[in-house]
Amino acid sequence: MSAAGPHPRVLLLLCLFSSAACNMFAFTEEPSERVGKADGYCSRILRAQSNRKDGNSEFRLRVEGDPESYHPGSTYRVTLSATSPSYFRGFTVIALREGAEGDKDEDYAGNFQIIDEEETQFMTNCPPAVTESTPRRRTTIQVFWTAPPSGSGCVLLKASIVQKRIIYFQDEGALTKRMCEKESLYGDATDKPLLDCCACGTAKYRVTFYGNWSEKTHPKDYPRRANHWSAIIGSSHSKNYVLWEYGGFSSEGVKQVAELGSPVKMEEEIRQKGDDVLTVIKMKAQWPAWQPLNVRAAPSAEFSVDRSRHLMSFLTMLGPSPDWNVGLSAEDLCTKECGWAQKVVQDLIPWDAGTDSGVSYESPNKPTSPQDKIRPLTSLDHPQSPFYDPEGGAITPVARVMVERIARKGEQCNIVPDNVDDIVADIAQEEKEEDDTPETCIYSNWSPWSVCSSATCEKGKRMRQRMLKAQLDLSVPCPHTQDFEPCMGPGCSDEDASTCMMSEWINWSPCSMSCGAGTRSRERYVKQFPDDGSVCTLPTEETENCVINEECYTIPCMLTPWSDWSDCSVTCGKGLRTRQRMLKSPVELGECTEELEQVEKCMLPECPIDCVMSEWTEWSECNKSCGKGHTIRTRMVMLEPQFGGDPCPETIQRKKCKIRKCNRGQGNSDEKKRRKEQREKRRSKQGRTEGTSEHPGCRMRPWSSWTECTKPCGGGIQERLMTVKQRFKTAQLSSCKDRKEIRACNVHPC
């Protein structure tokens, strides 16, 4: 910086520094004759007394996808970041037209949108600029920037950084991004809808939708089973009607397409617009989302435009998804030269309808309340997003749409045809019969014509069908769903109706080998089948050899992808499962040591375990010495039932017993014996201090304590013992022995 003072352009941008920077400068107002026209806009030009560094690589201003050019009206994510361990406290981001000084409104290009109000805000004294909400340490911030309309030329996105008392700013380098307007591939198509169209007559177009969303192009979390494109719905319309647009809110019709894949409400909304709509565009759903073009032709539909209804919009849901769609919004087919665009091709990335907050293909329903605005998805939205890229790269397009002019009608302002094919199309195209279908009857598209009923030159007929999907007014009858027309066998038509109309070849696929010799292919599709119902025999696919680096080392291991895991080897509990892959490369290339089978453990719900019981004990002694009594036996639960196994059976059994009859002759002796036992019991009570008990013929120890119950519930048993302490000489063996008592316990049910 020279002693004469900073360059006016630099001063202006320094003037735009964040609120954090303002406290770091000693400002002195420039003399009025040096202020010039910058005075009064974005504050006044002030001279800053502070340190300034250029060419620093710690900080970077980046536009998502690193594009070299911008599409007018498109929205981009802009990121300002610091490389660890660096950080910044304040910042300012602006967008200037190249060569502009920044002293008037028209010098600023496009519009910024705030993503996080806690991080960013518009500068109070300079609304076009974005700055920090509160000064603090940070390493990254993000904002959306919507590019200016067509004709704005090149734009410079610039950033300033405040770190302590140092200001970083660059006219070239990592803190400045230069982007120029992207030129249209087809010069006569406009990038932004014109306010008014000056073309004359009408034009007819064919729109073809190529869905490229597949597991090969978008492998992360790709939904293998339910992937599809919903039925396509759209229209050609005037500037007074908007089907959908970035920054707008979804209508109920858009919401039902985005969340349910249903076009019924959207079609109802379109038809209610009356004269603002010229043609309703409809194409059927595609299940699965991708198939080769030689298996399934790309869906297409025809529509017309005129001077007042020269815009075309459509949308289709990418499913399954929370509320993600692709489409065109207000694509203008009227050219600046008062003609009709010949061809428009656009790659499509998904956008969020703002009605559901899911972040992945199969996220559970989570309505967004309040509803958000429609916005394009980006690769930095959420780590769980299938399009997430920590580097912030561009999302790979999921579809491509091609809009081709097939005829012009009426007096044209621009009478210069584009090419010979265009002349032929204008002359050959015939006006189709007026469709008399009531607007209250909603049908599917007509099916292709069937094969002629006659295989010879005798007259026959062929048929096509459509399905009545909805009848909005029951008082208005809906016409037929079948259509017939006369026909003859192949080769019998007056004109050569057996000619197939084929599309252009699509670009060659990548070579099948990353090194050495391989193959590549390209495809085309049938644009129009023969009117006589015959089969097209022209090829729809071509294959040719290709070589990538002839001298490279050929890898012997070319393998197929892993198969799905097999079922678990068991029906319950722990088992094993396997998966395999196959060797594709020839054996001559060498031995491949890669594994071809993998095994891993698997776990299913636990197997049922039945109750396990111990063996029965021996039957106990009869509880009576004569007459009728009973005896018992028990068993214990060794293992309780688990996971639905068989319950435990009984743990105690009882049966009757009879030792001998009790007779009267022994009554006196039994009575004497009973009295004698009572006397001995009294003696035993007296001798308890000695820890012994008396029994006829012997001295017994006291009864032991009862054992713990064998079961906490459902009926268990307890035991206690009395053992012999001393046996007298006169004692009989049968009357002097250890004794055991058993009783039931915890008989309450479990």
Side-chain angles (χ1 to χ4, degrees), residues 330-484:
E331 184 68 29
D332 197 346
L333 299 172
C334 183
T335 68
K336 298 176 182 178
E337 294 77 22
C338 299
W340 297 109
Q342 181 185 356
K343 191 175 185 181
V344 175
V345 178
Q346 281 200 28
D347 289 324
L348 306 176
I349 64 170
W351 48 269
D352 190 309
T355 61
D356 192 286
S357 300
V359 296
S360 63
Y361 290 128
E362 300 182 270
S363 292
N365 290 334
K366 187 180 180 182
T368 303
S369 182
Q371 186 172 323
D372 283 343
K373 294 180 179 179
I374 296 174
R375 64 171 185 85
L377 296 182
T378 75
S379 60
L380 294 172
D381 284 336
H382 195 282
Q384 294 181 7
S385 167
F387 307 107
Y388 181 72
D389 177 6
E391 297 297 323
I395 292 178
T396 302
V398 296
R400 170 176 288 185
V401 63
M402 180 185 297
V403 182
E404 299 175 279
R405 192 180 75 218
I406 56 178
R408 292 182 291 197
K409 305 208 177 302
E411 184 178 352
Q412 300 289 315
C413 308
N414 182 355
I415 60 173
V416 179
D418 298 283
N419 51 44
V420 175
D421 292 336
D422 192 56
I423 298 174
V424 174
D426 287 346
I427 295 174
Q429 184 74 18
E430 295 181 359
E431 189 69 28
K432 291 188 177 180
E433 294 180 1
E434 187 70 17
D435 186 3
D436 59 352
T437 302
E439 293 185 356
T440 55
C441 299
I442 300 175
Y443 289 93
S444 65
N445 292 332
W446 284 107
S447 68
W449 286 105
S450 66
V451 177
C452 188
S453 61
S454 173
T456 66
C457 290
E458 296 293 328
K459 286 189 176 181
K461 64 179 181 180
R462 59 179 184 168
M463 180 189 73
R464 63 177 181 173
Q465 295 178 313
R466 62 180 176 178
M467 182 176 68
L468 179 62
K469 299 173 68 175
Q471 187 174 357
L472 303 180
D473 188 349
L474 297 178
S475 64
V476 179
C478 293
H480 58 276
T481 58
Q482 292 183 331
D483 189 17
F484 298 89

Side-chain angles (χ1 to χ4, degrees), residues 38 189 259 287 291 314 345 366 458 614 706:
E259 294 187 7
W287 293 78
Q291 281 186 322
F314 80 90
V345 178
K366 187 180 180 182
E458 296 293 328
S614 67
W706 289 103

Side-chain angles (χ1 to χ4, degrees), residues 262-274:
S262 171
V264 176
K265 181 64 177 178
M266 187 78 254
E267 183 174 354
E268 182 182 334
E269 291 180 2
I270 292 172
R271 294 189 183 278
Q272 288 174 352
K273 292 301 176 181

